[in-house]
Amino acid sequence: ATLPLLADPEQIRGRGDAPSITREPAPDFDEVATALGATHVAGGALAATLGADATPRFTVVDGDATADMVTSGAGTLYVAGRLRVTGRLAFTGMVAAAGGIELAPGATMEICGGAWAGGAPAVDVRGSGFVRASAAALRLAASVAPLPAAARVIAARETF
């Protein structure tokens, strides 16, 4: 499979071995999507707060989700559809979107922990931000959600 679409792929800068963005077989997220311990919300605009470092939350969006203003959170965020960021999303933990992640021009996404995206294109980045690996943030995510495998960053960019 090919790499995700990016506005300027030649500007990808990540840490660790190249490439910093890879496409690999997806883990099975069925258990995450149907978990009883999650806070299930309908598709649409995300709330301003989805947990905090002291009180992480496991949020499942049953459909597409949009971060159209300022959204912050901590824990695990699973979107059953496509995650579109048109405002600012700042999240500590694990962010997964079965339908892919789209970052609009002028939007900002800052993830400390890890990210997973499916769909086609899996990642469409035209805004700015980063995905930074953090073992502590991934442990925080795993403390509230039944992750299907050891969480790890699939994409890392210091500058989108």
Side-chain angles (χ1 to χ4, degrees), residues 92-140:
T92 301
M94 180 67 181
V95 174
I101 298 173
E102 180 181 325
L103 187 58
T108 303
M109 182 174 71
E110 300 164 342
I111 298 174
C112 179
W116 175 84
V123 180
D124 185 356
V125 177
R126 299 178 195 285
S128 63
F130 57 81
V131 177
R132 288 208 177 102
S134 168
L138 292 175
R139 281 192 301 275
L140 177 77

Side-chain angles (χ1 to χ4, degrees), residues 5-146:
L5 295 179
L6 298 169
D8 296 303
E10 68 280 357
Q11 294 180 354
I12 297 170
R13 287 180 285 167
R15 295 185 181 179
D17 295 333
S20 61
I21 296 180
T22 64
R23 183 176 295 269
E24 301 174 11
D28 182 1
F29 271 89
D30 289 343
E31 184 180 355
V32 176
T34 59
L36 298 176
T39 299
H40 284 263
V41 297
L46 292 173
T49 305
L50 302 171
D53 289 344
T55 54
R57 203 165 115 189
F58 176 23
T59 304
V60 173
V61 179
D62 298 317
D64 293 340
T66 303
D68 56 1
M69 298 188 358
V70 176
T71 299
S72 64
T76 298
L77 172 62
Y78 176 77
V79 179
R82 190 156 186 82
L83 172 60
R84 290 181 179 87
V85 181
T86 58
R88 179 174 184 257
L89 174 64
F91 201 86
T92 301
M94 180 67 181
V95 174
I101 298 173
E102 180 181 325
L103 187 58
T108 303
M109 182 174 71
E110 300 164 342
I111 298 174
C112 179
W116 175 84
V123 180
D124 185 356
V125 177
R126 299 178 195 285
S128 63
F130 57 81
V131 177
R132 288 208 177 102
S134 168
L138 292 175
R139 281 192 301 275
L140 177 77
S143 75
V144 296

